[in-house]
Amino acid sequence: MKMDRFMNVFSRAVLVTAGILCFTHSRYILIMLPYLIGISMMVAGGIIVFVSTDMIRRHLKWTGETCSRVTRSLMIIVVGMITVIKGEGALPFIGVSWGLLGLYKSAGIFENAAEEWNADRNVSWAELAETAVETVLSCVLLFEPVEKLGTHIYLLGMQIIVFALFRARK
């Protein structure tokens, strides 16, 4: 119980620190973004490939799910490598990807809200308002992917802090 509480407080502190860094060092983070994202993609993809191949080795069979996980992870590793190699040249790709992911996330939240509405359940108007803002910001990012990345890093800092303080409750 004490360990859970400690981990909750620790993870919130890490998130708040990350949010503050996004606020105070958004230009530096923008410069480092291709490397942070690329290395993260390579590490995450590598871990998934390692775990999946270890499962294959233990069970001596490929399943459709395992095969799919490995091939997708290999693609994530390749995209991560390209992002690191291209460095600053990868910023347009990152900006467009961030914009598309924001739109995808917004569509999912709107879809859930419509299902709640149709089922005569309460719809979170605050969540819908947040989603509308995210949709607009994602569209702005798609129109000017590199020029607006710094602003998005700053806004990400705010979002991380709000999440850490108000939403990440256990």
Side-chain angles (χ1 to χ4, degrees):
M1 187 72 156
K2 286 184 180 183
M3 184 58 124
D4 289 341
R5 174 117 172 96
F6 170 77
M7 290 306 293
N8 189 1
V9 170
F10 178 75
S11 62
R12 284 176 183 235
V14 169
L15 286 171
V16 169
T17 302
I20 290 170
L21 287 173
C22 287
F23 268 167
T24 58
H25 294 81
S26 60
R27 290 188 191 274
Y28 180 70
I29 290 173
L30 180 62
I31 293 167
M32 296 301 299
L33 197 59
Y35 308 103
L36 293 171
I37 290 175
I39 291 169
S40 297
M41 290 174 80
M42 289 187 289
V43 169
I47 289 171
I48 293 169
V49 167
F50 176 77
V51 169
S52 297
T53 53
D54 187 52
M55 287 172 46
I56 293 166
R57 192 170 33 92
R58 286 186 193 175
H59 302 292
L60 299 174
K61 65 179 176 179
W62 280 85
T63 63
E65 179 184 336
T66 309
C67 184
S68 176
R69 188 180 309 134
V70 168
T71 54
R72 287 181 182 167
S73 297
L74 290 172
M75 292 303 111
I76 288 172
I77 292 169
V78 169
V79 171
M81 290 159 98
I82 292 169
T83 303
V84 168
I85 291 168
K86 288 201 54 97
E88 193 176 324
L91 288 176
F93 165 73
I94 292 169
V96 169
S97 296
W98 196 348
L100 290 172
L101 288 172
L103 288 176
Y104 184 77
K105 177 183 168 193
S106 296
I109 293 171
F110 278 130
E111 181 180 349
N112 290 340
E115 289 172 1
E116 295 293 315
W117 182 272
N118 286 335
D120 290 329
R121 291 189 290 250
N122 290 335
V123 176
S124 171
W125 295 104
E127 191 174 75
L128 283 176
E130 178 186 346
T131 302
V133 170
E134 185 168 339
T135 300
V136 170
L137 292 173
S138 294
C139 289
V140 168
L141 196 52
L142 288 173
F143 280 108
E144 297 179 356
V146 177
E147 296 82 0
K148 299 299 180 187
L149 266 176
T151 304
H152 271 68
I153 291 170
Y154 187 82
L155 293 172
L156 177 65
M158 289 189 336
Q159 189 176 14
I160 290 171
I161 291 170
V162 167
F163 175 80
L165 296 178
F166 300 108
R167 287 194 167 170
R169 294 191 179 136
K170 284 191 173 183

